[in-house]
Structures are given as C-alpha cells and as structure tokens.
Amino acid sequence: MTLRLPSPGGGSRTYTPRPEPARLAPGGPPLASRTVFSAAHVVADPYADIAPDAPAAVDWDATLAFRRHLWSHGLGVAEAMDTAQRGMGLDWAGAAELIRRSAAEAKAVGGRIACGVGTDQLAPGTDGSDSLDAVLAAYEEQLALVEETGSQAILMASRALAATAKSPDDYLAVYAHLLRQASEPVVLHWLGPMFDPALEGYWGSTDLDAATGTFLQVIAEHPDKVDGVKISLLDAGREIELRRGLPSGVRCYTGDDFHYPELIAGDERGFSHALLGIFDPLGPLAAQAVRVLDTGDTKGFRELLDPTVELSRHLFQPPTRFYKTGVVFLAWLAGHQDHFSMVGGLQSARSLPHLARAYELADGLGLFPDPAVAEARMASLLSVYGVDQ
C-alpha cells in the first residue's frame, strides 16, 4: 500500500511505507560508557471532559507503561521535564503526581529516574510570588518532594526566577542556597529561550558568554553538589567549550537535539552524556547505538545515530517548544498509546504536512514496531483532514 501525504508547499506526494521495522528488541547489557536519560512525555486521558486550560487529565496506565518501555531498553527516565509539558499543559499538581507515580514505578522495576524541580506552582506578580523568597520557597517545596521519592533532582530553569532576578548575583544566591540544601548531587538544567521564551536572559544576561560565566561559577563553588549539567542551547560549539570548563567529576548531559551524535561520541578531550527529549521516540535505537559505543566502536555508533538527526531537527524546528506534539504523535503511531491527543490540546500545535513528514522520516528509520499499524493510523489521520487515499 502507498499513502498520499500532503507536502509543505501544497499538493501531495506518494509514499510507500517500510514493510519491516528495525530490530530493536528490549534487553541487553546495561549501558556502560555513557549515562543516558530520555525525557518522557505524558499520555492524556482523551475521555476527560475538560477545557484546554483546565488541569491536565492524565492516562496514568499508559503514561507509566511508556516509562517501562524506556527502562526495558536500559535508558534512564528524566521525569516531569519540559517534554512532559511542564508549563505547557501540565501544572505543578499534575507534575507532583507524575513524580510520585513514576518514582514508585522505577523502584518496582529497578529503573533509573531523575525528576524536574522547578517553581511552576507560582503565579508571577500576585501575592508576593514575584520575590526571590517566593522563588526559593517554591524550589524548596519541589526539591523536598523529589528527594522524598528517592529520585535524583534536576534543578530546572525557572520562569519565575528569570522574571524576578535583577542581576547574576541573584542567581548565584538562589542556586547556592538550593545546592546547600540538596541531600544528593543534582543535575543543573540550562534551557535556552528557543525551548521557552520566558527564559531569555537566564543566569542574568542575554550575553551567552557572561551567562556561561555565571553558570560555571555556581558549579565551581559547589562541585560536590553537582552531578552534572544539562545544556539545551542547540549550540554544539558552546556545549563543548562549557564541557571542557567543568570541574573534574561533573558530567555534561547534552540536551542538544540537533548535534547529539557528535556530542555523545565526543573527542580526545571528552564527551557528553545525554538527557534528551528526542530519545523519547528514539529510545530503543539510541540504546542500541550506545551499546555499540560501549564496545569502543565510535564509527558504528555514528552510523546508527547520525541518520536520526534529520527526524530530530524536523521535530524540533521553530517554534521549538512545540516539539512535544511530534513526540506524542510518533508514540501514537508506534502503538504506545491508543490516541493522538495531548494535555492542553497541544496536538493542534503542528500542521498536517509537518506530521506527515515526521511519519515519513520515522518510518524510514524503522522506528515503528508494527509498520502496518503506523500506516493505518497515519491514513486515519489523513482522512480526518480530508486527504483521501
């Protein structure tokens, strides 16, 4: 069977789906040479009768089943991050429940988990919530919950801090306080404005050199409390430079969904570990590639992972923050959930030509365990939009 797919410039093209998937069975030895987390999406409850701006209704069974899928391939799960629609449909109450449930599931199956700590319970500009004290209190509340579950904490960039801080010194003070309080080393997360425009000027400056200096100062003053840093700036050169400036023992987790193969492979002066949203749809293939890298075969690693970059760049094209729509779309096509709906109604955030190209690229990589199911689901979506086959 062939599908008639809409083209971005108008018109359509014929596509013949791949008959067989890639061989990406779960299991295998633990990943050894790199620590790899997939930031995981949440599955909405499509039967909930709620408005798009109401608190999220989550299908907990399907959401936790997807995490078990990632763990089965040897990946860690980065929970309640921006991939889970934090601040784009999932509020703090929903994120807190997600953290509790996923942490319990991780304990049950022996999976690795790290969870996002932020300040999204604040309503900026009301009731004193725009003060540094309020930002600290919000961070402390979330840090306490994550640590109570036994999960590693990821200190996420805070919209409230970005709106409240008057200088780099405010960032230094807030993070110093949090790192002193943390019971175990944390991951510091620098999320660029392409992922969240409200984070423009994070670390006290729109000059990335100055911001990097402040970021590195936080780490240098508390290296025993920082397991690693997650860099999501989509700038490979800057990540490499920053990586080389880290104190000994502090890891760099790439969050660069454009350059991850080269950054993970590394060079003679080091490499990046990974904490990536693109590893939500790429999880099994990414795990296979890292196991090849574990043998010392960098060329084989690149041969597996380099072809995935075109799909990743497509999903993360501007407006980058809407990449979650493509991630959930691919999870539906792959059979990890029974519907293509998202919390906050975010399934409408990408065009039909964009989704059609995502299907074509993912199918070409063999990512769908059952290509016939993916093809049928793609055909059903095309029909809804009036594209006859």
Side-chain angles (χ1 to χ4, degrees):
M1 181 178 176
T2 60
L3 288 174
R4 190 162 64 89
L5 301 178
S7 299
S12 63
R13 64 191 185 281
T14 298
Y15 176 70
T16 301
R18 177 174 174 152
E20 298 291 337
R23 295 185 178 181
L24 301 170
L31 306 186
S33 62
R34 305 290 187 272
T35 300
V36 182
F37 289 95
S38 166
H41 74 281
V42 292
V43 182
D45 177 359
Y47 296 101
D49 186 13
I50 58 172
D53 58 352
V58 176
D59 181 336
W60 293 112
D61 289 342
T63 294
L64 295 177
F66 188 76
R67 281 134 183 83
R68 291 194 297 272
H69 154 71
L70 294 172
W71 285 319
S72 75
H73 286 276
L75 301 171
V77 168
E79 188 56 277
M81 303 291 290
D82 59 298
T83 304
Q85 294 182 244
R86 287 287 290 270
M88 291 185 68
L90 189 72
D91 62 11
W92 166 236
E97 183 67 12
L98 177 62
I99 289 167
R100 292 188 191 98
R101 288 177 181 255
S102 290
E105 197 72 17
K107 288 179 182 177
V109 304
R112 182 166 187 168
I113 188 168
C115 298
V117 170
T119 63
D120 44 331
Q121 68 269 55
L122 296 178
T126 62
D127 300 326
S129 61
D130 54 352
S131 71
L132 286 179
D133 286 343
V135 170
L136 264 176
Y139 262 132
E140 289 172 338
E141 177 189 354
Q142 296 200 16
L143 178 61
L145 184 144
V146 168
E147 291 190 335
E148 285 169 7
T149 69
S151 303
Q152 184 177 18
I154 303 171
L155 294 186
M156 301 169 66
S158 162
R159 291 176 178 173
L161 181 55
T164 304
K166 300 296 190 292
S167 71
D169 287 342
D170 287 339
Y171 287 90
L172 293 170
V174 167
Y175 278 89
H177 182 89
L178 293 170
L179 290 172
R180 285 194 298 267
Q181 285 200 328
S183 61
E184 300 290 340
V186 307
V187 175
L188 296 182
H189 186 192
W190 186 358
L191 192 69
M194 67 288 294
F195 289 94
D196 187 343
L199 299 177
E200 182 74 39
Y202 210 74
W203 304 111
S205 179
T206 55
D207 181 323
L208 285 179
D209 291 335
T212 299
T214 303
F215 184 57
L216 288 173
Q217 185 177 343
V218 169
I219 301 160
E221 292 176 356
H222 308 275
D224 59 321
K225 286 299 187 74
V226 181
D227 163 69
V229 298
K230 172 178 162 32
I231 309 300
S232 299
L233 299 176
L234 304 183
D235 184 334
R238 182 165 296 277
E239 178 176 321
I240 292 169
E241 182 180 358
L242 192 154
R243 183 175 77 196
R244 292 173 178 171
L246 293 174
S248 177
V250 176
R251 309 180 198 199
C252 180
Y253 293 94
T254 186
D256 188 330
D257 300 280
F258 285 3
H259 307 100
Y260 52 94
E262 65 199 73
L263 290 166
I264 297 170
D267 55 31
E268 68 283 354
R269 295 180 59 186
F271 57 82
S272 294
H273 300 270
L275 197 166
L276 286 161
I278 191 57
F279 282 3
D280 180 300
L282 291 183
L285 196 155
Q288 181 177 331
V290 173
R291 288 191 176 96
V292 171
L293 187 60
D294 288 346
T295 69
D297 184 0
T298 303
K299 181 174 181 291
F301 166 82
R302 294 294 299 268
E303 287 174 348
L304 281 170
L305 216 53
D306 281 358
T308 69
V309 171
E310 185 178 5
L311 170 63
S312 189
R313 286 176 174 262
H314 177 75
L315 295 182
F316 285 78
Q317 67 182 228
T320 301
R321 63 190 181 277
F322 294 123
Y323 75 88
K324 296 95 165 172
T325 300
V327 164
V328 173
F329 173 65
L330 295 182
W332 171 56
L333 294 182
H336 295 297
Q337 54 195 78
D338 294 331
H339 58 84
F340 176 40
S341 60
M342 299 175 66
V343 299
L346 207 64
Q347 66 272 12
S348 64
R350 292 296 201 188
S351 69
L352 183 63
H354 177 92
L355 297 176
R357 181 59 177 159
Y359 161 74
E360 185 177 9
L361 290 170
D363 181 69
L365 293 168
L367 295 184
F368 303 129
D370 189 334
V373 168
E375 179 184 331
R377 290 183 172 187
M378 187 69 227
S380 71
L381 181 69
L382 293 168
S383 177
V384 167
Y385 277 82
V387 181
D388 296 327
Q389 297 302 309

